[in-house]
Amino acid sequence: MAEIAWALGKILFMLVFVFTVLVVMIWGERKGSAFIQDRIGPNRASIGGVIRLGGLVHPVADVLKLLFKEDLVPGAVNRFFYTMAPFVVMVIALVTFAVLPFGDAIYLGDKVIPLRIADLDVGILYLLAITSLSVYGIVLAGWASNNKYTFLGGIRSTAQMISYEINMGLAVLALLLVYGSTRVDAMVVEQGQLLFGFLPRWGVFLQPLGFVLFLTSVFAETNRTPFDLAEGESELVSGYNIEYSSMKFALFFMAEYASMIVAAGFISSLYFGGWQVPWLDTITLREHAGTFLGVSLWVGAVFNLLFAALLWKRYRRERGLLGDRRELEPLVLGIVFFILALVCLGAVVIASPWNLGEQGAAHFATVVQVLSFILKTLFFSWLFIWVRWTLPRFRYDQLMKLGWQLMLPLGLLNFFVTAAVVLLAR
Amino acid sequence: MQLHFATVFVFLALAVGFAVIAMVISWALRPKKPGTVKESPYECGEQPEGSPWIRFNVRFYLIALFFIVFDVEVVFLLPWAVVFKEMLAVLGSFAFWEMVIFIAILLVGLAYVWGKGDLAWVKGLPPRDEEDLEALSWYESGRFSTDRRSVHTSAKPEGV
């Protein structure tokens, strides 16, 4: 019974995590592009005319808007596949999270609870298998819509995704040689050690070329700029999803971001130590849990006070400038930060010797590790946005040339060299 | 182990459930006013021209074929890669050379399709004269530079 509860809890955690990061990512995409292009970006949507959070309310407003939109279905579509396609894309994007470890195993008495949804031995094979299925959603959407643009978008996208899948597979093969296991959690555990005594033993240091290949193929697999030829606005308007509207379009849109979050999670798990905090392994974290907690509470208190003070200053400065309730936002947020600062200070005073006990220390270590995983994933999610608004799109022949004539030989070379190094270092 | 695959299916069911619920809510809330214009395929606001079942480049089929060859290669290499370290202890360097031979056979295949020009996406008629060759090299260099100087110095060839 408890096991089922834990399994459900982990699934719910993952779903909440994905959808939260999804909202943040859509916000980051719009605000980040505004930042890169020197604009202000979205800032109008608000809760009660007060809380705007710098545009963070916009993704919610977007979803609500799409919920209420009429669903335009062209007359000549293949209804079954047309309706199925957004489901396929969305479900596959979500299900890939199943093998992603987000923390070290929890020990409750004599029970071990691994912090990932499914404790599969095939691990990385599951990743390769499921991501390759997402081609189906796109090709179905493109074909069933009965439209030239969607058809071309679907075909292009398929050729691109299958081409780069090989490169992804080769990069992963080299990783398997290094770690000798298909389990993602085993890989993450190995990355907790140190390399040459000072570098974290992360995949990116063991497999620099493999990392570049993996990153590039992941960008191509998620159909992101500079590889978004499936969409290519100037040629295909929007590619395979032109004929979709309302919630079906929203599903495509969310799936695109969800698959980016998956990709970010796997980049951080395979090459950047996943939930490992660099230089701090689980045992150290547990031993010094009290100290770390105290320090982080102090830091939290100071930063919250600082934010509160800045917001108060801003409120004083901007009062009377807008002439409506929007002015109250810095005040409201400032009060929130002030309360948070008080909570931190209170916790410091109450739990002064910071003796957490063994169980508490273990839980503290888990929380820190999950936060580390979330931070890394957020960073790589931001990388996707960053790259999109920095690099222009490839031409299709350049894409194929890069995939088949540069990355495939490089991937094979990387694999060969890795095997040779393993052979010589045995 | 069975339980873990069961959790995958529970996750799958929840994911499907999420999508279905979203669709049902939207279905209940949205207006439904179909019309002939709304039902026509989108073609940038123009009247749709001809059939959407257009002919597409045969090279997409070739890409699919190469994909199968090389993806099967990756699949064959996977189990080998997982047990490589243990195999080294038993078989010694033979475990390594065996893989090298396997990859070499596939490299011959890659070299063949490469040499046949099947990996090159841009395939035109063979260049006829100097001007064509220049145009081709300009096109293949991929440098559509926004750098002012290069735009001024290297004249864009005609007919590209």
Side-chain angles (χ1 to χ4, degrees):
Chain A
M1 207 46 217
E3 272 187 29
I4 294 172
W6 271 104
L8 281 178
K10 284 185 283 190
I11 292 174
L12 283 182
F13 169 82
M14 220 35 166
L15 285 176
V16 169
F17 167 70
V18 174
F19 284 107
T20 317
V21 177
L22 211 145
V23 166
V24 173
M25 245 190 118
I26 294 173
W27 171 76
E29 178 95 51
R30 304 171 86 184
K31 216 60 182 175
S33 67
F35 169 68
I36 287 171
Q37 299 171 345
D38 209 1
R39 300 181 276 116
I40 292 175
N43 63 351
R44 296 297 167 92
S46 66
I47 300 172
V50 180
I51 302 293
R52 295 186 293 168
L53 297 174
L56 196 51
V57 190
H58 269 264
V60 183
D62 279 342
V63 170
L64 284 178
K65 184 194 83 170
L66 284 167
L67 265 180
F68 284 99
K69 284 281 174 187
E70 183 177 357
D71 192 15
L72 302 176
V73 182
V77 300
N78 183 325
R79 285 248 170 193
F80 178 69
F81 292 129
Y82 176 81
T83 321
M84 211 172 87
F87 283 89
V88 171
V89 177
M90 184 75 211
V91 168
I92 283 167
L94 282 180
V95 165
T96 324
F97 284 99
V99 288
L100 207 54
F102 50 87
D104 203 355
I106 305 180
Y107 295 91
L108 284 180
D110 54 348
K111 269 226 300 261
V112 184
I113 293 144
L115 280 189
R116 57 198 166 282
I117 289 171
D119 193 16
L120 300 182
D121 279 336
V122 288
I124 202 95
L125 291 181
Y126 177 88
L127 163 76
L128 290 177
I130 299 287
T131 48
S132 65
L133 282 181
S134 61
V135 175
Y136 283 100
I138 285 168
V139 85
L140 278 182
W143 178 79
S145 295
N146 200 38
N147 182 314
K148 287 169 203 154
Y149 297 123
T150 61
F151 181 70
L152 282 175
I155 288 278
R156 275 189 186 189
S157 180
T158 314
Q160 170 188 335
M161 283 166 95
I162 61 176
S163 301
Y164 280 78
E165 211 168 285
I166 296 166
N167 299 319
M168 194 162 107
L170 279 173
V172 167
L173 272 182
L175 266 188
L176 290 182
L177 280 181
V178 175
Y179 295 124
S181 167
T182 49
R183 298 179 68 99
V184 184
D185 53 305
M187 292 183 184
V188 175
V189 168
E190 282 217 14
Q191 294 181 59
Q193 299 156 357
L194 286 182
L195 196 65
F196 311 127
F198 66 97
L199 272 179
R201 199 169 177 275
W202 283 354
V204 67
F205 299 121
L206 299 173
Q207 283 283 313
L209 181 59
F211 167 66
V212 173
L213 294 173
F214 187 80
L215 188 74
T216 317
S217 9
V218 152
F219 270 79
E221 286 282 308
T222 48
N223 282 317
R224 266 306 262 202
T225 322
F227 303 107
D228 65 339
L229 289 122
E231 300 188 2
E233 292 94 337
S234 48
E235 304 148 23
L236 297 176
V237 190
S238 173
Y240 58 89
N241 55 17
I242 297 175
E243 295 287 16
Y244 287 88
S245 47
S246 178
M247 208 56 210
K248 287 185 192 129
F249 175 75
L251 283 183
F252 270 119
F253 194 68
M254 286 195 276
E256 196 190 319
Y257 283 89
S259 59
M260 263 183 272
I261 300 166
V262 175
F266 273 101
I267 292 169
S268 56
S269 288
L270 297 181
Y271 290 98
F272 288 87
W275 45 259
Q276 300 275 8
V277 186
W279 297 291
L280 290 176
D281 54 13
T282 314
I283 299 163
T284 325
L285 264 178
R286 284 184 187 161
E287 272 175 6
H288 303 286
T291 322
F292 287 134
L293 181 63
V295 170
S296 51
L297 281 176
W298 272 113
V299 171
V302 168
F303 270 90
N304 280 323
L305 268 182
L306 192 70
F307 287 143
L310 285 175
L311 284 164
W312 171 248
K313 230 181 129 187
R314 186 168 164 190
Y315 171 67
R316 291 285 300 277
R317 195 175 64 228
E318 294 184 351
R319 196 163 46 173
L321 222 60
L322 294 163
D324 60 17
R325 282 192 290 173
R326 280 178 290 171
E327 292 170 356
L328 292 174
E329 196 191 14
L331 185 65
V332 174
L333 293 181
I335 291 171
V336 170
F337 275 114
F338 189 65
I339 293 171
L340 280 176
L342 287 185
V343 168
C344 286
L345 278 177
V348 169
V349 173
I350 292 168
S352 199
W354 304 317
N355 194 358
L356 291 169
E358 203 171 315
Q359 200 71 55
H363 288 316
F364 174 77
T366 306
V367 169
V368 171
Q369 286 168 345
V370 172
L371 280 180
S372 158
F373 170 73
I374 290 175
L375 269 182
K376 285 173 188 173
T377 308
L378 276 180
F379 173 77
F380 286 103
S381 303
W382 162 246
L383 185 73
F384 277 90
I385 296 166
W386 190 2
V387 168
R388 169 164 179 190
W389 297 101
T390 307
L391 296 180
R393 183 180 299 134
F394 277 106
R395 234 171 32 216
Y396 205 77
D397 63 306
Q398 291 170 331
L399 172 93
M400 283 300 166
K401 199 169 183 174
L402 178 73
W404 288 99
Q405 301 188 357
L406 183 68
M407 281 175 64
L408 182 61
L410 273 183
L412 284 171
L413 180 74
N414 183 41
F415 181 61
F416 177 77
V417 170
T418 313
V421 169
V422 172
L423 174 76
L424 293 177
R426 83 191 135 125
Chain B
M1 200 71 233
Q2 276 82 15
L3 181 73
H4 300 311
F5 275 105
T7 40
V8 172
F9 282 105
V10 172
F11 193 23
L12 192 77
L14 279 179
V16 174
F18 160 77
V20 169
I21 288 169
M23 293 297 287
V24 167
I25 294 174
S26 150
W27 174 81
L29 292 175
R30 70 193 175 211
K32 297 162 197 79
K33 291 178 190 134
T36 41
V37 180
K38 285 180 186 172
E39 283 179 6
S40 69
Y42 174 80
E43 240 174 78
C44 301
E46 304 282 327
Q47 286 284 332
E49 183 85 20
S51 161
W53 303 85
I54 45 178
R55 286 164 47 158
F56 60 92
N57 204 322
V58 72
R59 265 164 238 160
F60 286 109
Y61 286 111
L62 286 180
I63 292 294
L65 279 179
F66 302 153
F67 164 71
I68 290 173
V69 173
F70 286 99
D71 213 39
V72 169
E73 170 193 6
V74 170
V75 170
F76 275 134
L77 285 174
L78 261 168
W80 177 86
V82 176
V83 295
F84 181 52
K85 279 179 184 164
E86 286 106 85
M87 256 183 1
L88 277 182
V90 183
L91 294 173
S93 59
F94 175 68
F96 175 73
W97 293 112
E98 172 177 70
M99 180 275 292
V100 171
I101 293 166
F102 180 70
I103 289 186
I105 293 170
L106 277 146
L107 271 181
V108 172
L110 182 67
Y112 176 74
V113 287
W114 196 325
K116 287 279 278 186
D118 285 333
L119 292 180
W121 199 259
V122 179
K123 262 198 266 188
L125 296 169
R128 286 163 309 184
D129 48 27
E130 283 290 307
E131 203 181 334
D132 267 14
L133 277 173
E134 197 192 338
L136 195 69
S137 72
W138 180 81
Y139 189 74
E140 285 192 334
S141 71
R143 264 183 283 118
F144 293 84
S145 180
T146 50
D147 183 10
R148 253 157 220 274
R149 272 169 309 167
S150 66
V151 170
H152 283 303
T153 49
S154 67
K156 185 180 160 189
E158 296 289 316
V160 177

